[in-house]
Every structure is written in structure tokens, then in C-alpha cells.
Amino acid sequence: MKYIPTLKYKERVDIKAYRGLSEKLQSDITPLIEVFQPEKIELGKIEENEKFFINLGYDLTFLEYVEALESIRKTHPNAIPVINSNHYFNSLSKKELVGAVKKLNELNFQELAVKINNIHNFYVQDQMELALIMLDEIESATFFLDVDHAYKIPSVDRLKNIFTNTIDRLKSMIGDEINKFVLCGSIVPIQSSSFLSYEDEEGDNNMGANNIENILYRTYRNMLNSNGELELYYSDYTIDEKNTLLDDNVIITTFYPVVKYTLEDGDIMVFKSSGRREFSKYPEIAQKISSMIEFRGEEHCEGCRYLKSISDGRNNTGTPATWKLNMITHHIATMAELLK
């Protein structure tokens, strides 16, 4: 599977949405799980034998990160640790750095991964470069190249250039043997203010949807065709956005009903209503989507079944959280079909 969905470890939405997939599809996918709260590294919602990439996204030195991995290794032996460029490396002495690398090697994970963030402003700490060079089997590691907000890049050519330059620089810094790269980023805005309302935009030949081109996926396809020597993978933040609403306790008191439906080609169709807190708009949006040729049918996935049940009046209107959850399930199922 060439698709690696990035899931925030928020028991309320992302992991639950992932569990909405068929068991077969879950077994085929190796997701990237991002944990942002230290108290959640026990990963109670992840089965012990599951294989997944694990990224600890909170403030850590590299030494503290390796110490956290010791606990994860005991409970989830198939986890693939992700060394994050946002962790603090240069705060460590050379002795501490060497000790941390030695300890990580001794943990003997089956695989390793590296995540370079904000690659359009490419920067790797000197101590991180040294740590990567010293690690065992670094040439077989998977490198996540995160462009952050891919939807802000205006063209495939521009985004391809950012990824290609980053790959060339990493090969020159770490070693030309590294070959597994994941193109990663947010593909759609999370803020409802980014979209026009369907009430204002619909006309005789227009249902009022906002159509968001998946630049990241199109760039991946382009690079796949022109870089046959590289082992390339694709990762997105589903229909969510990087670093948005990381606190599980956030309560959304005001909202505009928004449904993001992933199309068969990976693009996103977004319906937004201008009616603030009008839950009754969800069935209207569901009816619009279910009547369109782009609708995959309720047999496609749990997300499509949910949408059709709202459209037919067999379920209640839903909430922002339940719609997001089900449309994440639909998105992962759709992208998995494209990226087998």
C-alpha cells in the first residue's frame, strides 16, 4: 500500500474513523500516528500487534524521545519510530547525542523513519544530521517530507520542485542510499471561512460545491512517473489540517455546516452552508451529494453509508464531529483505492 494516512491520536475522531474501515483495509494500511500529549504514549487504542509509524509531536529533546520509545517498544513491538525534525537535537552535548543514538540502535526496532517538517523552508539541525548518519540501517529508513499546507502551493510543478530539491539535499547530507520518501502535507483547509456557501453559489448547472484540487496527489503521480528509481509513498492529514485542534477538550460553540467529500480522483468536494449552527442543513447537503454522479454509493464505505442514511432520513442530522469522522473514513477508503 502506497498510502500512509496521517492520524492524530485523538480518540474522539481520527482513530475511530480509521476503525470504520474494513478489517482487510486496516490490515493493508500502515498509518502514521501522531501523538501530541505525553500522557497518551501508552497508545491504548492501538492493538499491540499492529504495525504503524509513531511520531511524538510534543516538545522533546532527542534523548527524551528515545526514552519514550523504550516504553512504546515494550507494548507495541511492531511500531516504527519516526525521528522528528522538530525535536531538540542541538541542546544535547555530543556525548548525550551519541548515547541516545546507541540506545535507539539497541532498541532494535524493525524499521526506522524520519520526518522533515516545513520542507519549503528546508532546515535540518546539525546534531540531527549527525544522529542520522550514526544510526544503524539509516539507508533503509522511510523519510517523510512534510510540506505542511500542500493546498497553498499553486501548482504541481512548484510542489514537485520543492520535493525534488529536498530529496537531493537529503541524499547529499545523509547518504545517496536512502531511497524511500513519503510526500506529505495537508490537502484541504479546515476553516469554514475558506469556502463559499452553496446557497450563494448554486445555479442551473452548479450545485454550489467548492472543488479543491488535490495538488499533493497529482504531484505524487507526476513524480512517480518521472522518478522511477525512487520508492515513493503518499501521506495526507485526511480531510483535517496539520496542527489544527490538537486539544481533545476543544468545544466548537459556533460553526457553519461543512461536508468534505473526497472524489474518485482524490480531489475534495466541499459543501458549506451559510447558516450558522443550522444542523438541519446537513440532510440538505447529504441529499445534494447522494444525488450527484460523483457519489460512490452506500456500499462503498461506512462514511458513504452514513451520508446516505442522513439523506434518506434514516438517521438524525449529525454533528460536526460525526460528519468529520465519517468523511475521514470515506477519504481513507478512497485514497487507499487510488494508492494500492
Side-chain angles (χ1 to χ4, degrees):
M1 177 70 70
K2 295 293 187 180
Y3 180 43
I4 305 174
T6 300
L7 307 174
K8 298 168 187 172
Y9 192 76
K10 292 168 62 179
E11 297 160 12
R12 198 174 51 178
V13 179
D14 290 40
I15 302 301
K16 189 174 181 181
Y18 180 67
R19 296 300 182 219
L21 302 170
S22 68
E23 290 186 8
K24 173 65 168 62
L25 191 50
Q26 288 184 57
S27 67
D28 288 343
I29 291 175
T30 304
L32 168 60
I33 307 294
E34 298 203 322
V35 179
F36 294 91
Q37 292 101 343
E39 66 273 13
K40 292 192 175 181
I41 66 167
E42 293 182 358
L43 300 171
K45 294 292 182 180
I46 309 295
E47 297 293 331
E48 290 186 6
N49 62 345
E50 284 190 76
K51 183 178 180 181
F52 58 97
F53 295 93
I54 179 66
N55 175 39
L56 304 184
Y58 49 90
D59 291 342
L60 285 171
T61 67
F62 180 56
L63 180 57
E64 291 169 333
Y65 170 67
V66 174
E67 290 171 349
L69 289 179
E70 287 189 270
S71 299
I72 292 172
R73 184 75 171 91
K74 294 174 184 176
T75 58
H76 296 81
N78 293 324
I80 306 170
V82 179
I83 301 166
N84 194 324
S85 65
N86 286 351
H87 291 159
Y88 302 116
F89 286 81
N90 291 343
S91 61
L92 301 178
S93 67
K94 192 167 185 178
K95 182 178 179 180
E96 289 174 321
L97 183 68
V98 170
V101 171
K102 182 180 178 181
K103 182 179 289 187
L104 180 52
N105 283 331
E106 289 173 348
L107 289 175
N108 199 28
F109 282 96
Q110 295 178 13
E111 298 180 45
L112 288 176
V114 179
K115 191 165 191 279
I116 309 297
N117 295 285
N118 193 26
I119 63 167
H120 51 293
N121 293 316
F122 183 84
Y123 170 70
V124 174
Q125 300 171 64
D126 291 342
Q127 294 280 67
M128 181 180 184
E129 180 182 352
L130 180 59
L132 295 179
I133 292 172
M134 290 191 296
L135 279 168
D136 293 343
E137 308 297 334
I138 191 60
E139 67 278 359
S140 63
T142 300
F143 281 75
F144 286 81
L145 310 181
D146 196 337
V147 75
D148 294 352
H149 303 99
Y151 63 82
K152 293 183 179 180
I153 309 299
S155 70
V156 168
D157 286 343
R158 172 62 180 147
L159 189 52
K160 179 181 178 181
N161 187 55
I162 293 171
F163 281 122
T164 301
N165 288 342
T166 303
I167 290 170
D168 289 343
R169 292 179 67 180
L170 281 172
K171 279 179 167 285
S172 66
M173 291 169 59
I174 311 303
D176 199 51
E177 301 85 359
I178 60 174
N179 205 47
K180 294 169 66 174
F181 297 98
V182 185
L183 312 188
C184 184
S186 304
I187 60 172
V188 62
I190 193 70
Q191 294 294 331
S192 60
S193 59
S194 303
F195 309 111
L196 299 172
S197 66
Y198 69 85
E199 294 99 336
D200 295 332
E201 294 301 309
E202 62 186 341
D204 292 339
N205 299 309
N206 178 22
M207 299 288 279
N210 299 260
N211 291 304
I212 309 300
E213 184 179 4
N214 190 340
I215 294 292
L216 182 64
Y217 174 68
R218 297 190 184 194
T219 302
Y220 168 80
R221 282 297 180 195
N222 185 292
M223 290 184 65
L224 202 62
N225 294 331
S226 58
N227 294 273
E229 74 283 0
L230 297 176
E231 191 174 344
L232 295 177
Y233 298 81
Y234 167 95
S235 180
D236 58 35
Y237 290 84
T238 69
I239 57 169
D240 206 347
E241 193 168 359
K242 183 175 183 178
N243 296 337
T244 300
L245 295 181
L246 299 180
D247 184 353
D248 283 345
N249 296 318
V250 170
I251 298 175
I252 303 175
T253 56
T254 60
F255 67 92
Y256 294 93
V258 175
V259 176
K260 300 173 184 176
Y261 190 79
T262 306
L263 302 177
E264 196 171 3
D265 61 0
D267 289 351
I268 313 293
M269 182 172 62
V270 184
F271 279 97
K272 170 200 169 181
S273 171
S274 60
R276 177 182 284 187
R277 289 187 59 81
E278 289 189 28
F279 287 83
S280 60
K281 291 292 185 178
Y282 282 121
E284 187 174 317
I285 294 173
Q287 288 163 10
K288 283 179 173 290
I289 296 174
S290 65
S291 67
M292 299 177 78
I293 193 171
E294 291 89 350
F295 180 57
R296 304 297 301 280
E298 59 183 320
E299 69 284 350
H300 176 254
C301 65
E302 194 64 37
C304 287
R305 275 191 289 276
Y306 176 80
L307 187 149
K308 192 67 166 62
S309 72
I310 300 293
S311 173
D312 293 348
R314 291 181 279 117
N315 209 333
N316 58 24
T317 60
T319 66
T322 55
W323 273 102
K324 181 178 179 181
L325 183 154
N326 281 281
M327 292 305 97
I328 287 177
T329 299
H330 168 70
H331 176 84
I332 296 174
T334 301
M335 298 310 298
E337 291 170 350
L338 288 171
L339 292 151
K340 293 179 180 176

